[in-house]
Amino acid sequence: MGQAFCCIQVDQSTVAIKETFGRFDEVLEPGCHLLPWCLGKQIAGYLSLRVQQLDVRCETKTKDNVFVTVVASVQYRALADKASDAFYRLSNTREQIQSYVFDVIRSSVPKLNIDDAFEQKNEIAKAVEEELEKAMSMYGYEIVQTLIVDIEPDQQVKRAMNEINAAARLRLAANEKAEAEKILQIKRAEGDAESKYLAGLGIARQRQAIVDGLRDSVLAFSDNVPGTSAKDVMDMILVTQYFDTMREIGASSKSNSVFIPHGPGAVADIASQVRDGMLQAKTQK
């Protein structure tokens, strides 16, 4: 309707390409413009200046022979001061950008192993952006940003990578469990050693107390009962301990002791053997 009155409207963030008898004339900015069609003036087309996004999926192979699909997202826009180049010089902008993305990805990813490809996503995106910026600037386009949004290996490769990761974590857990068991055994051994040490101290003190008590008993008996010798006192103490032991064994309901035939007179023989052994030891020294 506007062209019937020789007027056209160009929307915001858009430019119009004006031609005169099929030849480029000028770029019309947003607003209302006079277009006398009777003089051969016409609009060849419109060009958006908004940022556009193109997602490119590229299949390639890594250095360790793993096929992956790299998904790149390219954000670009036409430049207002180069609108004529952007309109006339490229017939299909999206396919042109896609071709450059394929070229860069398929030349950079094969130099990396699969693990390095995941770690160097930013470097790959930077290489793609630099190549696109250099190539598309001559056609009137600006590359705003390039992102590598995903790297998708084959499902079997994913499963293998997950199994490797799981195995590594299980190995780490086993090492930690073994280390904990080792610490537990060390602590248990230290506790057992400390317990035995304290038990040894207790036995030593018990025996020392018995010796001290016997010595005091012998001295006290010798002083209070004139005419008795140390041998008589020791024999009496041994007989007393013998009867005390027999009483304790008989009082136990769960005793499994085996008695060898003997009599109280054997106590004197035991005492004699002890004295003889001590005398022989002193003689050998």
Short mmCIF file of all heavy atoms in Angstrom, two decimals, residues 1-68:
data_model
loop_
_atom_site.label_atom_id
_atom_site.label_comp_id
_atom_site.label_asym_id
_atom_site.label_seq_id
_atom_site.Cartn_x
_atom_site.Cartn_y
_atom_site.Cartn_z
N MET A 1 0.84 -1.20 0.00
CA MET A 1 0.00 0.00 0.00
C MET A 1 0.87 1.24 0.00
O MET A 1 0.58 2.23 -0.65
CB MET A 1 -0.93 -0.03 1.22
CG MET A 1 -1.95 1.10 1.24
SD MET A 1 -3.13 0.92 -0.14
CE MET A 1 -4.19 2.32 0.16
N GLY A 2 1.99 1.15 0.80
CA GLY A 2 2.87 2.30 0.86
C GLY A 2 3.53 2.58 -0.46
O GLY A 2 3.76 3.74 -0.84
N GLN A 3 3.87 1.49 -1.22
CA GLN A 3 4.52 1.71 -2.49
C GLN A 3 3.60 2.38 -3.48
O GLN A 3 4.04 3.04 -4.43
CB GLN A 3 5.03 0.38 -3.04
CG GLN A 3 6.18 -0.22 -2.23
CD GLN A 3 6.76 -1.45 -2.90
OE1 GLN A 3 6.34 -1.80 -4.01
NE2 GLN A 3 7.70 -2.09 -2.22
N ALA A 4 2.29 2.21 -3.29
CA ALA A 4 1.34 2.89 -4.18
C ALA A 4 1.45 4.40 -4.04
O ALA A 4 1.20 5.15 -4.99
CB ALA A 4 -0.08 2.42 -3.89
N PHE A 5 1.84 4.87 -2.85
CA PHE A 5 2.04 6.31 -2.62
C PHE A 5 3.52 6.67 -2.67
O PHE A 5 3.92 7.72 -2.20
CB PHE A 5 1.46 6.70 -1.26
CG PHE A 5 -0.03 6.55 -1.20
CD1 PHE A 5 -0.62 5.41 -0.65
CD2 PHE A 5 -0.88 7.53 -1.71
CE1 PHE A 5 -1.98 5.26 -0.60
CE2 PHE A 5 -2.24 7.38 -1.66
CZ PHE A 5 -2.81 6.24 -1.10
N CYS A 6 4.32 5.74 -3.20
CA CYS A 6 5.77 5.96 -3.34
C CYS A 6 6.47 6.12 -1.99
O CYS A 6 7.45 6.86 -1.88
CB CYS A 6 6.06 7.16 -4.23
SG CYS A 6 5.42 7.00 -5.92
N CYS A 7 5.96 5.47 -0.94
CA CYS A 7 6.57 5.51 0.38
C CYS A 7 6.71 4.08 0.92
O CYS A 7 5.84 3.23 0.69
CB CYS A 7 5.75 6.35 1.35
SG CYS A 7 5.70 8.11 0.94
N ILE A 8 7.80 3.85 1.66
CA ILE A 8 7.98 2.56 2.33
C ILE A 8 8.44 2.79 3.77
O ILE A 8 8.96 3.87 4.09
CB ILE A 8 9.01 1.67 1.61
CG1 ILE A 8 10.40 2.33 1.66
CG2 ILE A 8 8.60 1.35 0.19
CD1 ILE A 8 11.52 1.38 1.35
N GLN A 9 8.23 1.78 4.60
CA GLN A 9 8.65 1.84 6.01
C GLN A 9 9.68 0.74 6.27
O GLN A 9 9.46 -0.41 5.93
CB GLN A 9 7.45 1.65 6.93
CG GLN A 9 7.81 1.56 8.40
CD GLN A 9 6.60 1.31 9.27
OE1 GLN A 9 5.55 1.92 9.07
NE2 GLN A 9 6.75 0.40 10.22
N VAL A 10 10.80 1.12 6.91
CA VAL A 10 11.84 0.16 7.30
C VAL A 10 11.80 0.03 8.82
O VAL A 10 11.91 1.05 9.52
CB VAL A 10 13.23 0.61 6.82
CG1 VAL A 10 14.29 -0.41 7.25
CG2 VAL A 10 13.24 0.80 5.30
N ASP A 11 11.64 -1.19 9.31
CA ASP A 11 11.51 -1.41 10.75
C ASP A 11 12.85 -1.26 11.46
O ASP A 11 13.94 -1.28 10.84
CB ASP A 11 10.96 -2.81 11.01
CG ASP A 11 9.54 -2.96 10.46
OD1 ASP A 11 8.84 -1.93 10.38
OD2 ASP A 11 9.16 -4.09 10.11
N GLN A 12 12.75 -1.14 12.80
CA GLN A 12 13.95 -1.03 13.64
C GLN A 12 14.80 -2.29 13.53
O GLN A 12 14.29 -3.39 13.37
CB GLN A 12 13.53 -0.79 15.09
CG GLN A 12 14.66 -0.54 16.05
CD GLN A 12 15.39 0.76 15.75
OE1 GLN A 12 14.77 1.74 15.31
NE2 GLN A 12 16.69 0.78 15.95
N SER A 13 16.14 -2.12 13.64
CA SER A 13 17.12 -3.21 13.54
C SER A 13 17.08 -3.90 12.18
O SER A 13 17.44 -5.08 12.06
CB SER A 13 16.90 -4.25 14.66
OG SER A 13 17.06 -3.66 15.93
N THR A 14 16.62 -3.17 11.19
CA THR A 14 16.55 -3.70 9.82
C THR A 14 16.96 -2.59 8.85
O THR A 14 16.74 -1.40 9.11
CB THR A 14 15.13 -4.17 9.48
OG1 THR A 14 14.70 -5.11 10.46
CG2 THR A 14 15.07 -4.83 8.11
N VAL A 15 17.61 -2.97 7.79
CA VAL A 15 17.93 -2.03 6.71
C VAL A 15 17.34 -2.58 5.42
O VAL A 15 17.16 -3.79 5.27
CB VAL A 15 19.45 -1.81 6.56
CG1 VAL A 15 20.01 -1.10 7.78
CG2 VAL A 15 20.18 -3.12 6.32
N ALA A 16 17.04 -1.68 4.49
CA ALA A 16 16.49 -2.06 3.18
C ALA A 16 17.51 -1.75 2.09
O ALA A 16 18.23 -0.73 2.16
CB ALA A 16 15.18 -1.33 2.92
N ILE A 17 17.58 -2.59 1.11
CA ILE A 17 18.51 -2.41 0.00
C ILE A 17 17.72 -1.81 -1.17
O ILE A 17 16.80 -2.45 -1.72
CB ILE A 17 19.15 -3.76 -0.42
CG1 ILE A 17 19.81 -4.42 0.78
CG2 ILE A 17 20.15 -3.54 -1.54
CD1 ILE A 17 20.89 -3.60 1.43
N LYS A 18 18.09 -0.60 -1.52
CA LYS A 18 17.39 0.15 -2.56
C LYS A 18 18.14 0.01 -3.89
O LYS A 18 19.37 0.17 -3.93
CB LYS A 18 17.26 1.61 -2.16
CG LYS A 18 16.58 2.50 -3.19
CD LYS A 18 16.56 3.95 -2.70
CE LYS A 18 15.99 4.88 -3.76
NZ LYS A 18 16.04 6.30 -3.30
N GLU A 19 17.40 -0.29 -4.94
CA GLU A 19 17.99 -0.40 -6.26
C GLU A 19 17.28 0.55 -7.24
O GLU A 19 16.10 0.89 -7.06
CB GLU A 19 17.86 -1.84 -6.80
CG GLU A 19 18.68 -2.86 -6.04
CD GLU A 19 18.54 -4.25 -6.60
OE1 GLU A 19 17.60 -4.46 -7.44
OE2 GLU A 19 19.33 -5.14 -6.23
N THR A 20 18.01 0.96 -8.28
CA THR A 20 17.45 1.79 -9.35
C THR A 20 17.66 1.07 -10.68
O THR A 20 18.81 0.86 -11.09
CB THR A 20 18.13 3.17 -9.40
OG1 THR A 20 17.95 3.83 -8.15
CG2 THR A 20 17.53 4.03 -10.51
N PHE A 21 16.57 0.65 -11.25
CA PHE A 21 16.61 -0.14 -12.47
C PHE A 21 17.52 -1.37 -12.33
O PHE A 21 18.33 -1.68 -13.20
CB PHE A 21 17.05 0.71 -13.68
CG PHE A 21 16.07 1.79 -14.03
CD1 PHE A 21 16.38 3.12 -13.82
CD2 PHE A 21 14.82 1.48 -14.57
CE1 PHE A 21 15.49 4.12 -14.15
CE2 PHE A 21 13.93 2.49 -14.90
CZ PHE A 21 14.24 3.81 -14.69
N GLY A 22 17.41 -2.05 -11.16
CA GLY A 22 18.14 -3.28 -10.92
C GLY A 22 19.57 -3.09 -10.45
O GLY A 22 20.29 -4.08 -10.25
N ARG A 23 19.99 -1.86 -10.26
CA ARG A 23 21.36 -1.60 -9.80
C ARG A 23 21.31 -1.04 -8.38
O ARG A 23 20.44 -0.24 -8.06
CB ARG A 23 22.05 -0.63 -10.75
CG ARG A 23 23.50 -0.36 -10.38
CD ARG A 23 24.13 0.58 -11.39
NE ARG A 23 25.53 0.83 -11.07
CZ ARG A 23 26.34 1.60 -11.79
NH1 ARG A 23 25.88 2.20 -12.90
NH2 ARG A 23 27.59 1.77 -11.43
N PHE A 24 22.29 -1.49 -7.56
CA PHE A 24 22.32 -1.03 -6.17
C PHE A 24 22.42 0.48 -6.11
O PHE A 24 23.26 1.10 -6.79
CB PHE A 24 23.51 -1.65 -5.43
CG PHE A 24 23.73 -1.08 -4.06
CD1 PHE A 24 22.85 -1.36 -3.01
CD2 PHE A 24 24.80 -0.23 -3.81
CE1 PHE A 24 23.06 -0.82 -1.75
CE2 PHE A 24 25.00 0.31 -2.55
CZ PHE A 24 24.14 0.02 -1.51
N ASP A 25 21.58 1.06 -5.26
CA ASP A 25 21.54 2.52 -5.13
C ASP A 25 22.04 2.95 -3.76
O ASP A 25 23.05 3.63 -3.64
CB ASP A 25 20.13 3.03 -5.38
CG ASP A 25 20.06 4.55 -5.46
OD1 ASP A 25 21.11 5.20 -5.26
OD2 ASP A 25 18.97 5.09 -5.69
N GLU A 26 21.34 2.51 -2.69
CA GLU A 26 21.74 2.86 -1.34
C GLU A 26 21.08 1.94 -0.33
O GLU A 26 20.21 1.14 -0.67
CB GLU A 26 21.35 4.32 -1.03
CG GLU A 26 19.84 4.56 -1.05
CD GLU A 26 19.47 5.97 -0.64
OE1 GLU A 26 20.21 6.55 0.18
OE2 GLU A 26 18.43 6.46 -1.10
N VAL A 27 21.56 2.07 0.93
CA VAL A 27 21.00 1.31 2.05
C VAL A 27 20.08 2.24 2.82
O VAL A 27 20.50 3.32 3.26
CB VAL A 27 22.10 0.76 2.96
CG1 VAL A 27 21.49 0.04 4.16
CG2 VAL A 27 23.02 -0.18 2.19
N LEU A 28 18.84 1.84 3.00
CA LEU A 28 17.87 2.67 3.70
C LEU A 28 17.83 2.28 5.19
O LEU A 28 17.67 1.11 5.54
CB LEU A 28 16.48 2.47 3.08
CG LEU A 28 16.37 2.82 1.58
CD1 LEU A 28 14.95 2.61 1.10
CD2 LEU A 28 16.83 4.26 1.32
N GLU A 29 17.97 3.27 6.05
CA GLU A 29 17.94 3.07 7.50
C GLU A 29 16.49 2.92 7.97
O GLU A 29 15.54 3.22 7.23
CB GLU A 29 18.60 4.27 8.21
CG GLU A 29 20.05 4.51 7.84
CD GLU A 29 20.96 3.43 8.39
OE1 GLU A 29 20.58 2.78 9.40
OE2 GLU A 29 22.04 3.21 7.81
N PRO A 30 16.27 2.48 9.21
CA PRO A 30 14.90 2.37 9.73
C PRO A 30 14.17 3.71 9.67
O PRO A 30 14.73 4.76 9.98
CB PRO A 30 15.12 1.90 11.17
CG PRO A 30 16.44 1.19 11.14
CD PRO A 30 17.27 1.96 10.15
N GLY A 31 12.91 3.66 9.28
CA GLY A 31 12.09 4.86 9.17
C GLY A 31 11.27 4.84 7.90
O GLY A 31 11.11 3.79 7.24
N CYS A 32 10.74 6.00 7.52
CA CYS A 32 9.90 6.13 6.33
C CYS A 32 10.73 6.77 5.20
O CYS A 32 11.43 7.77 5.42
CB CYS A 32 8.67 7.00 6.64
SG CYS A 32 7.52 7.12 5.25
N HIS A 33 10.63 6.19 4.01
CA HIS A 33 11.45 6.66 2.89
C HIS A 33 10.57 6.82 1.65
O HIS A 33 9.61 6.05 1.44
CB HIS A 33 12.58 5.67 2.59
CG HIS A 33 13.53 5.49 3.74
ND1 HIS A 33 14.62 6.30 3.95
CD2 HIS A 33 13.54 4.57 4.76
CE1 HIS A 33 15.28 5.90 5.04
NE2 HIS A 33 14.62 4.85 5.55
N LEU A 34 10.94 7.82 0.83
CA LEU A 34 10.24 8.06 -0.44
C LEU A 34 10.82 7.12 -1.50
O LEU A 34 12.05 7.03 -1.67
CB LEU A 34 10.41 9.51 -0.87
CG LEU A 34 9.72 9.92 -2.17
CD1 LEU A 34 8.20 9.80 -2.05
CD2 LEU A 34 10.10 11.35 -2.56
N LEU A 35 9.98 6.41 -2.20
CA LEU A 35 10.43 5.44 -3.20
C LEU A 35 9.59 5.62 -4.48
O LEU A 35 8.58 4.97 -4.68
CB LEU A 35 10.29 4.02 -2.65
CG LEU A 35 10.91 2.92 -3.52
CD1 LEU A 35 12.43 3.01 -3.47
CD2 LEU A 35 10.48 1.54 -3.00
N PRO A 36 10.00 6.52 -5.34
CA PRO A 36 9.24 6.74 -6.60
C PRO A 36 9.47 5.58 -7.58
O PRO A 36 10.45 5.57 -8.33
CB PRO A 36 9.82 8.05 -7.14
CG PRO A 36 11.19 8.15 -6.55
CD PRO A 36 11.14 7.45 -5.22
N TRP A 37 8.61 4.63 -7.52
CA TRP A 37 8.77 3.44 -8.35
C TRP A 37 8.68 3.74 -9.83
O TRP A 37 9.20 3.01 -10.66
CB TRP A 37 7.73 2.38 -7.97
CG TRP A 37 6.30 2.88 -8.04
CD1 TRP A 37 5.56 3.46 -7.05
CD2 TRP A 37 5.46 2.84 -9.18
NE1 TRP A 37 4.31 3.80 -7.48
CE2 TRP A 37 4.22 3.42 -8.80
CE3 TRP A 37 5.63 2.39 -10.51
CZ2 TRP A 37 3.14 3.56 -9.70
CZ3 TRP A 37 4.56 2.52 -11.39
CH2 TRP A 37 3.32 3.10 -10.98
N CYS A 38 8.00 4.84 -10.12
CA CYS A 38 7.89 5.22 -11.53
C CYS A 38 9.23 5.62 -12.13
O CYS A 38 9.39 5.66 -13.35
CB CYS A 38 6.88 6.35 -11.69
SG CYS A 38 7.26 7.82 -10.70
N LEU A 39 10.20 5.96 -11.29
CA LEU A 39 11.54 6.33 -11.76
C LEU A 39 12.51 5.15 -11.69
O LEU A 39 13.73 5.32 -11.76
CB LEU A 39 12.09 7.49 -10.92
CG LEU A 39 11.27 8.79 -10.97
CD1 LEU A 39 11.91 9.85 -10.07
CD2 LEU A 39 11.18 9.32 -12.40
N GLY A 40 11.98 3.93 -11.51
CA GLY A 40 12.80 2.73 -11.48
C GLY A 40 13.34 2.38 -10.11
O GLY A 40 14.20 1.50 -9.99
N LYS A 41 12.86 3.09 -9.08
CA LYS A 41 13.31 2.79 -7.72
C LYS A 41 12.52 1.61 -7.16
O LYS A 41 11.29 1.54 -7.32
CB LYS A 41 13.09 4.01 -6.81
CG LYS A 41 13.70 5.32 -7.34
CD LYS A 41 15.21 5.27 -7.35
CE LYS A 41 15.80 6.61 -7.80
NZ LYS A 41 17.27 6.60 -7.82
N GLN A 42 13.22 0.69 -6.47
CA GLN A 42 12.56 -0.45 -5.86
C GLN A 42 13.42 -0.99 -4.72
O GLN A 42 14.61 -0.64 -4.60
CB GLN A 42 12.33 -1.56 -6.89
CG GLN A 42 13.60 -2.14 -7.46
CD GLN A 42 13.34 -3.27 -8.43
OE1 GLN A 42 12.19 -3.67 -8.64
NE2 GLN A 42 14.39 -3.80 -9.03
N ILE A 43 12.77 -1.80 -3.89
CA ILE A 43 13.46 -2.44 -2.77
C ILE A 43 13.84 -3.85 -3.19
O ILE A 43 12.98 -4.68 -3.50
CB ILE A 43 12.57 -2.47 -1.51
CG1 ILE A 43 12.24 -1.04 -1.06
CG2 ILE A 43 13.27 -3.25 -0.38
CD1 ILE A 43 13.46 -0.24 -0.66
N ALA A 44 15.17 -4.12 -3.17
CA ALA A 44 15.64 -5.45 -3.55
C ALA A 44 15.45 -6.46 -2.42
O ALA A 44 15.29 -7.66 -2.67
CB ALA A 44 17.12 -5.40 -3.94
N GLY A 45 15.45 -5.97 -1.19
CA GLY A 45 15.27 -6.87 -0.06
C GLY A 45 15.60 -6.19 1.25
O GLY A 45 16.03 -5.01 1.27
N TYR A 46 15.39 -6.91 2.32
CA TYR A 46 15.66 -6.38 3.66
C TYR A 46 16.75 -7.24 4.33
O TYR A 46 16.86 -8.44 4.08
CB TYR A 46 14.39 -6.39 4.51
CG TYR A 46 13.30 -5.48 3.98
CD1 TYR A 46 12.37 -5.95 3.05
CD2 TYR A 46 13.21 -4.16 4.41
CE1 TYR A 46 11.38 -5.12 2.57
CE2 TYR A 46 12.21 -3.32 3.93
CZ TYR A 46 11.30 -3.81 3.02
OH TYR A 46 10.33 -2.99 2.53
N LEU A 47 17.51 -6.59 5.21
CA LEU A 47 18.59 -7.27 5.92
C LEU A 47 18.48 -6.98 7.40
O LEU A 47 18.49 -5.81 7.81
CB LEU A 47 19.96 -6.81 5.39
CG LEU A 47 21.19 -7.50 5.99
CD1 LEU A 47 21.22 -8.98 5.59
CD2 LEU A 47 22.46 -6.81 5.53
N SER A 48 18.36 -8.03 8.21
CA SER A 48 18.25 -7.86 9.66
C SER A 48 19.62 -7.61 10.27
O SER A 48 20.61 -8.26 9.91
CB SER A 48 17.61 -9.11 10.29
OG SER A 48 17.59 -9.00 11.70
N LEU A 49 19.67 -6.67 11.22
CA LEU A 49 20.90 -6.35 11.94
C LEU A 49 20.94 -7.01 13.32
O LEU A 49 21.87 -6.77 14.09
CB LEU A 49 21.06 -4.84 12.09
CG LEU A 49 21.09 -4.03 10.79
CD1 LEU A 49 21.24 -2.54 11.11
CD2 LEU A 49 22.21 -4.50 9.88
N ARG A 50 19.97 -7.83 13.62
CA ARG A 50 19.91 -8.49 14.91
C ARG A 50 20.94 -9.63 14.96
O ARG A 50 21.35 -10.18 13.94
CB ARG A 50 18.52 -9.05 15.16
CG ARG A 50 17.45 -7.98 15.29
CD ARG A 50 16.09 -8.61 15.50
NE ARG A 50 15.04 -7.59 15.62
CZ ARG A 50 13.76 -7.88 15.77
NH1 ARG A 50 13.36 -9.15 15.81
NH2 ARG A 50 12.87 -6.90 15.87
N VAL A 51 21.30 -9.99 16.21
CA VAL A 51 22.23 -11.11 16.40
C VAL A 51 21.47 -12.41 16.14
O VAL A 51 20.40 -12.64 16.69
CB VAL A 51 22.81 -11.10 17.83
CG1 VAL A 51 23.68 -12.34 18.05
CG2 VAL A 51 23.63 -9.84 18.06
N GLN A 52 22.04 -13.22 15.28
CA GLN A 52 21.45 -14.51 14.94
C GLN A 52 22.36 -15.63 15.44
O GLN A 52 23.56 -15.45 15.63
CB GLN A 52 21.26 -14.63 13.43
CG GLN A 52 20.40 -13.51 12.85
CD GLN A 52 20.24 -13.66 11.34
OE1 GLN A 52 19.72 -14.66 10.86
NE2 GLN A 52 20.68 -12.65 10.60
N GLN A 53 21.75 -16.78 15.65
CA GLN A 53 22.51 -17.92 16.16
C GLN A 53 22.36 -19.11 15.23
O GLN A 53 21.28 -19.41 14.74
CB GLN A 53 22.02 -18.30 17.57
CG GLN A 53 22.75 -19.51 18.16
CD GLN A 53 22.48 -19.70 19.63
OE1 GLN A 53 22.63 -18.76 20.41
NE2 GLN A 53 22.11 -20.91 20.02
N LEU A 54 23.48 -19.77 15.01
CA LEU A 54 23.51 -20.96 14.17
C LEU A 54 24.18 -22.09 14.95
O LEU A 54 25.33 -21.95 15.39
CB LEU A 54 24.29 -20.68 12.87
CG LEU A 54 24.53 -21.90 11.97
CD1 LEU A 54 23.20 -22.47 11.46
CD2 LEU A 54 25.43 -21.52 10.80
N ASP A 55 23.49 -23.21 15.14
CA ASP A 55 24.04 -24.38 15.81
C ASP A 55 24.52 -25.37 14.74
O ASP A 55 23.76 -25.76 13.86
CB ASP A 55 22.99 -25.04 16.70
CG ASP A 55 22.61 -24.17 17.89
OD1 ASP A 55 23.48 -23.39 18.33
OD2 ASP A 55 21.46 -24.26 18.35
N VAL A 56 25.79 -25.73 14.85
CA VAL A 56 26.41 -26.61 13.86
C VAL A 56 26.84 -27.90 14.55
O VAL A 56 27.55 -27.86 15.57
CB VAL A 56 27.63 -25.93 13.20
CG1 VAL A 56 28.24 -26.86 12.16
CG2 VAL A 56 27.23 -24.61 12.57
N ARG A 57 26.43 -29.04 14.00
CA ARG A 57 26.85 -30.34 14.50
C ARG A 57 27.85 -30.93 13.50
O ARG A 57 27.53 -31.13 12.33
CB ARG A 57 25.66 -31.28 14.66
CG ARG A 57 24.62 -30.78 15.65
CD ARG A 57 23.43 -31.75 15.73
NE ARG A 57 23.85 -33.05 16.22
CZ ARG A 57 23.89 -33.38 17.50
NH1 ARG A 57 23.54 -32.49 18.43
NH2 ARG A 57 24.28 -34.58 17.88
N CYS A 58 29.03 -31.20 14.01
CA CYS A 58 30.11 -31.69 13.15
C CYS A 58 30.68 -32.98 13.71
O CYS A 58 31.11 -33.02 14.87
CB CYS A 58 31.21 -30.63 13.04
SG CYS A 58 32.65 -31.16 12.10
N GLU A 59 30.69 -34.03 12.91
CA GLU A 59 31.26 -35.31 13.33
C GLU A 59 32.71 -35.39 12.88
O GLU A 59 33.03 -35.13 11.71
CB GLU A 59 30.46 -36.49 12.74
CG GLU A 59 30.95 -37.85 13.25
CD GLU A 59 30.12 -38.99 12.70
OE1 GLU A 59 29.32 -38.75 11.78
OE2 GLU A 59 30.27 -40.13 13.19
N THR A 60 33.59 -35.75 13.79
CA THR A 60 35.01 -35.85 13.49
C THR A 60 35.63 -36.93 14.36
O THR A 60 34.95 -37.56 15.17
CB THR A 60 35.71 -34.49 13.71
OG1 THR A 60 37.08 -34.59 13.31
CG2 THR A 60 35.64 -34.09 15.17
N LYS A 61 36.94 -37.12 14.20
CA LYS A 61 37.66 -38.16 14.92
C LYS A 61 38.81 -37.53 15.71
O LYS A 61 39.49 -36.62 15.24
CB LYS A 61 38.20 -39.20 13.94
CG LYS A 61 38.88 -40.39 14.61
CD LYS A 61 39.37 -41.39 13.58
CE LYS A 61 40.56 -40.85 12.82
NZ LYS A 61 41.20 -41.87 11.96
N THR A 62 39.01 -38.03 16.93
CA THR A 62 40.09 -37.52 17.77
C THR A 62 41.40 -38.24 17.46
O THR A 62 41.44 -39.17 16.64
CB THR A 62 39.75 -37.70 19.26
OG1 THR A 62 39.60 -39.11 19.53
CG2 THR A 62 38.45 -37.00 19.60
N LYS A 63 42.45 -37.82 18.11
CA LYS A 63 43.79 -38.39 17.87
C LYS A 63 43.84 -39.87 18.26
O LYS A 63 44.58 -40.65 17.65
CB LYS A 63 44.83 -37.59 18.66
CG LYS A 63 46.26 -37.99 18.38
CD LYS A 63 47.22 -37.10 19.13
CE LYS A 63 48.67 -37.48 18.85
NZ LYS A 63 49.62 -36.60 19.61
N ASP A 64 43.07 -40.26 19.29
CA ASP A 64 43.06 -41.66 19.72
C ASP A 64 41.92 -42.44 19.06
O ASP A 64 41.41 -43.41 19.62
CB ASP A 64 42.97 -41.76 21.24
CG ASP A 64 41.89 -40.86 21.81
OD1 ASP A 64 41.28 -40.10 21.04
OD2 ASP A 64 41.65 -40.91 23.02
N ASN A 65 41.51 -41.99 17.85
CA ASN A 65 40.56 -42.72 17.00
C ASN A 65 39.19 -42.92 17.65
O ASN A 65 38.60 -43.99 17.56
CB ASN A 65 41.14 -44.08 16.60
CG ASN A 65 42.39 -43.95 15.75
OD1 ASN A 65 42.49 -43.04 14.92
ND2 ASN A 65 43.35 -44.83 15.96
N VAL A 66 38.70 -41.89 18.29
CA VAL A 66 37.35 -41.90 18.86
C VAL A 66 36.50 -40.91 18.06
O VAL A 66 36.85 -39.73 17.94
CB VAL A 66 37.36 -41.51 20.35
CG1 VAL A 66 35.93 -41.45 20.88
CG2 VAL A 66 38.19 -42.49 21.14
N PHE A 67 35.40 -41.40 17.50
CA PHE A 67 34.51 -40.53 16.74
C PHE A 67 33.60 -39.76 17.70
O PHE A 67 32.97 -40.35 18.58
CB PHE A 67 33.67 -41.34 15.76
CG PHE A 67 34.42 -41.75 14.52
CD1 PHE A 67 35.10 -42.95 14.48
CD2 PHE A 67 34.45 -40.91 13.42
CE1 PHE A 67 35.81 -43.32 13.35
CE2 PHE A 67 35.15 -41.28 12.28
CZ PHE A 67 35.84 -42.49 12.24
N VAL A 68 33.56 -38.44 17.51
CA VAL A 68 32.76 -37.58 18.37
C VAL A 68 31.96 -36.62 17.49
O VAL A 68 32.33 -36.33 16.35
CB VAL A 68 33.64 -36.77 19.35
CG1 VAL A 68 34.34 -37.68 20.33
CG2 VAL A 68 34.64 -35.90 18.61
#
